[in-house]
Amino acid sequence: MLDMERAAVLTTLRTACKAVGWWVLLAFILPLVGAYAFTLSLSAACALIASAFLIEYGSIPIGIALGLPPLYALLAATSIEAGIFLGIFGMLDAIGTASGRVAGFLDWTRRMVHRSKLFDRYGILGLFPVEILIGVYLCSPASWLFGWNKGRTFAITMAGYWVAAVTTTLATLGIIHFFLR
């Protein structure tokens, strides 16, 4: 019995550490290493990181206003968003494996989702507009709760983010102005 408990604890810790690792790597280390490598302002990069946690793709104009190159701001914000998604999803996985109550609730929720053929098949596509309108803080828990494939939900969420981020970048640079004349 103790060996099973120890194995479960180690599995949970491994899952949680992996989630935190992806979060730290993508949300902090890559943007800061990129800023350092291109001799950009580290304080501006830190401001971009902090604002990306609060306003997601809305942080790109802040980064550009602080003097960061638009491509760097776009790529760093995308990396931060990916780190947030993978961190939340991974931590929820760790909680789901650690708690019997949570695992039971997940099983019940996923059975309910799979009863609706339409929602089971096409519900995942709703992550695209939800990411644009609400953000990653809803997409990641919803995709985990409904039991959707992590890779597919990550790709759809990041596609929605990319559309919003590129549009925001182009609007910040005034390029959209030329198309709307």
Side-chain angles (χ1 to χ4, degrees):
M1 186 76 168
L2 291 176
D3 289 335
M4 288 181 61
E5 289 176 10
R6 184 173 188 263
V9 168
L10 290 176
T11 300
T12 301
L13 285 175
R14 188 177 306 117
T15 304
C17 288
K18 188 176 175 182
V20 170
W22 279 112
W23 177 65
V24 169
L25 175 69
L26 293 172
F28 295 103
I29 294 174
L30 284 182
L32 290 175
V33 167
Y36 182 78
F38 294 113
T39 63
L40 302 173
S41 167
L42 290 178
S43 59
C46 287
L48 175 73
I49 292 168
S51 61
F53 275 93
L54 296 174
I55 54 176
E56 298 185 16
Y57 55 84
S59 65
I60 296 170
I62 292 171
I64 293 171
L66 291 173
L68 296 173
L71 184 60
Y72 169 81
L74 175 65
L75 294 177
T78 302
S79 178
I80 296 162
E81 185 80 1
I84 293 170
F85 182 93
L86 294 174
I88 292 172
F89 201 100
M91 289 307 289
L92 291 173
D93 265 351
I95 293 168
T97 59
S99 170
R101 286 184 177 176
V102 173
F105 176 71
L106 286 176
D107 185 46
W108 177 80
T109 303
R110 291 170 181 173
R111 281 195 317 260
M112 294 298 287
V113 167
H114 294 305
R115 284 185 189 165
S116 168
K117 299 270 187 216
L118 186 65
F119 187 77
D120 189 33
R121 180 173 283 176
Y122 300 111
I124 194 170
L125 298 177
L127 293 174
F128 188 89
V130 167
E131 169 58 38
I132 294 171
L133 298 173
I134 299 172
V136 72
Y137 294 107
L138 180 64
C139 289
S140 186
S143 59
W144 174 79
L145 183 65
F146 296 140
W148 292 326
N149 177 279
K150 181 180 180 179
R152 288 183 64 203
T153 58
F154 179 73
I156 292 168
T157 300
M158 292 311 295
Y161 180 81
W162 189 254
V163 167
V166 168
T167 303
T168 301
T169 304
L170 293 175
T172 302
L173 296 174
I175 294 175
I176 292 180
H177 174 73
F178 293 111
F179 294 116
L180 296 179
R181 279 189 190 190

